[in-house]
Amino acid sequence: MVMASSTGIQGDDFSYLIVRPDKGEIWDVLKYSLRGDIECGSKFLESSDQGVVGGEAADHRWIILMSIVARRIIHFLGKPMELTGYGVDFFLNLLSQNGSLFGLFYNLLRGDIVIPKRGTETFISTIGHLDERMDLYQAKNLVGDLHNSTPGEEIKNVELDDRATMDLCMMASKLAYENAEVVRNVVVHHWKMHFVDFYDCWDDYQKKKSTQVFLLCDKPKDATLILISFRGTEPFDADDWSTDFDYSWYEIPNLGKLHMGFLEALGVGNREDTASFHYHLQKRSTKHCYPEAAEVESSNEGPHSERSAGIDKKGIPPEMVEMSAYYVVREKLKTLFEEHKNAKYIVTGHSLGGALAILFPIVLMLHDETNLLQKLLGVYTFGQPRVGNKQLGRFMEAHLNHPVPKYFRVVYCNDLVPRLPYDDKTFLYKHFGVCLYYNSCFIEQKMDEEPNKNYFGITHMIPEHLIAIWELIRSLTMGYTHGPEYKEGWFSIFLRVLGLSMPGIAAHCSVNYVNSVRLGKS
């Protein structure tokens, strides 16, 4: 791909701040945090404007310190986390595919042990083992209504704030953690819907395929509903957790500041070449940003000149369309709407997947994709981290909440991830949209912001741990009080025991969100 360096960008409309935890010594970080030493700060902070390092960033240098410390620890533990993840995944599947620990020993004695194979429809992720439910619950009625709808009929049975739609979205968000074969099997055989495709997309900063997303339709012909589900934070993926704790941002004129790591995961930029964000997040021609590309584009004038030059008619390189989650999903949506004229779509995701779910329509707005935006039925996120500043929130609420709310952000109790990145009265990252908050008794409240919005606080420490104890006790009894569907397995209970030391981690598990949707009451 032809790109200009970031130094070639001129103008006030190009602004960013990058926190690089791998740069500078620990003394540089401490001097900047304690004294606001700009020279020390410039060793690990990169900005389009040096004044940011001594100005806005300096005002929040203690939060930047927390971000750097957390990301350094995560980086140090990266390889052990990866190896642990492989081991845990294999062990859990070894147990489940052989029936139990007893079944494993029995098969071992018989010489008939089942060895799990990654990438197959029987190999379930760690997230899947925490909550083994696959079938839809209240959404069964929704699926039946959608299947019985006639071609050309408007969506009358999908209400964004009802339990049926929420259940479908949450189960799809949980399913996004699985491999393509598991997703296909569940969508087709359990949900009786039409599996469209599963994409393993490239993160140009991480230099690996780390962004997964799948699409489904309620039926193969004359579909009424299309659903897009982004995968969330992998529990043993250090890069995913590092992204959640990242403070780096990119500012778009008249829109606001967006979390740089989430933009990279969506496939619309790379901090190693900051001009790439300007390239992918603008309404103007690429000529304004990539003079090399513009020269190639203008020097080839045949009917296939743009494609032969490596640039499509909108200035996006073909390889980017094939690799980037944003472009892959956008182009597939356009194809689907040619086949299903009356369909509308919902975007959903849990954790990091929730951040990508709301960023997707944001970028569509930047690209003036009016037709696709008119087809957007809504966005549902679960345990989603903050994605931008207050200005971004005002802009998106003006577009997504009128004439009716289309963006619902579901938060369970003391979940840590929605409290990231840190926020206070003057800090950068702010939530927006309708917050559906569930307490530990699954009581739903509609509010602007979840309680204890920053999680870390002395006054909340004791209540958080008491609630974690209550949740552990509840997990042991739910199979009796609410039915066998709610019985938690040993692995989920084990995680709750570990979570007593830091309740916000266990609260983030998808089992809490599924239970909130299915048992929640106003």
Side-chain angles (χ1 to χ4, degrees), residues 159-413:
E159 296 293 338
L160 282 175
D161 56 353
D162 69 13
R163 304 270 170 215
T165 308
M166 291 174 66
D167 187 55
L168 174 62
C169 290
M170 182 55 228
M171 292 300 288
S173 298
K174 184 169 77 77
L175 185 60
Y177 288 94
E178 308 299 335
N179 67 62
E181 293 305 313
V182 173
V183 173
R184 182 194 302 273
N185 178 58
V186 171
V187 169
V188 174
H189 299 293
H190 290 258
W191 298 359
K192 309 302 180 184
M193 290 186 171
H194 175 61
F195 174 75
V196 176
D197 216 334
F198 178 98
Y199 300 104
D200 204 0
C201 300
W202 183 256
D203 185 319
D204 201 40
Y205 174 62
Q206 295 183 7
K207 300 300 179 186
K208 65 179 183 179
K209 292 182 177 180
S210 59
T211 303
Q212 283 77 45
V213 56
F214 76 88
L215 288 82
L216 64 82
C217 296
D218 62 299
K219 48 193 172 184
K221 293 184 179 181
D222 298 319
T224 305
L225 180 67
I226 299 168
L227 188 140
I228 304 165
S229 181
F230 287 92
R231 192 214 70 189
T233 305
E234 290 278 16
F236 298 102
D237 191 317
D239 289 329
D240 280 359
W241 283 105
S242 183
T243 297
D244 287 338
F245 280 92
D246 194 4
Y247 175 74
S248 308
W249 51 260
Y250 177 85
E251 183 172 17
I252 300 173
N254 303 318
L255 177 66
K257 295 174 181 175
L258 289 88
H259 190 288
M260 186 173 285
F262 299 151
L263 290 173
E264 289 168 331
L266 194 61
V268 289
N270 179 355
R271 71 186 66 191
E272 300 304 328
D273 180 6
T274 51
S276 60
F277 294 104
H278 193 68
Y279 176 45
H280 294 291
L281 299 173
Q282 62 170 332
K283 297 181 181 179
R284 299 169 303 194
S285 165
T286 55
K287 296 177 183 179
H288 293 277
C289 184
Y290 285 78
E292 294 94 333
E295 290 175 7
V296 174
E297 188 175 7
S298 61
S299 63
N300 295 273
E301 297 181 352
H304 305 289
S305 59
E306 293 172 327
R307 189 60 74 172
S308 64
I311 302 170
D312 71 5
K313 64 183 179 179
K314 291 189 177 180
I316 306 301
E319 65 270 22
M320 196 66 184
V321 174
E322 296 171 2
M323 296 190 305
S324 159
Y326 167 75
Y327 292 113
V328 164
V329 173
R330 189 188 71 176
E331 297 311 307
K332 189 62 181 180
L333 263 185
K334 292 179 179 179
T335 302
L336 288 173
F337 285 128
E338 291 177 0
E339 302 172 9
H340 310 286
K341 304 293 185 182
N342 299 291
K344 290 190 176 182
Y345 69 101
I346 293 176
V347 193
T348 191
H350 170 259
S351 191
L352 170 62
L356 301 183
I358 186 57
L359 280 177
F360 182 72
I362 291 175
V363 181
L364 287 180
M365 289 181 184
L366 283 170
H367 291 172
D368 286 331
E369 294 287 352
T370 307
N371 292 336
L372 289 182
L373 290 169
Q374 289 176 345
K375 292 280 191 176
L376 176 64
L377 188 62
V379 179
Y380 248 119
T381 70
F382 303 85
Q384 170 215 312
R386 300 179 175 103
V387 299
N389 66 353
K390 190 172 183 178
Q391 182 184 0
L392 173 71
R394 288 195 298 263
F395 178 88
M396 291 307 298
E397 286 179 340
H399 287 80
L400 286 182
N401 282 354
H402 299 283
V404 295
K406 289 187 177 181
Y407 172 39
F408 293 86
R409 187 174 56 83
V410 183
V411 176
Y412 171 76
C413 198

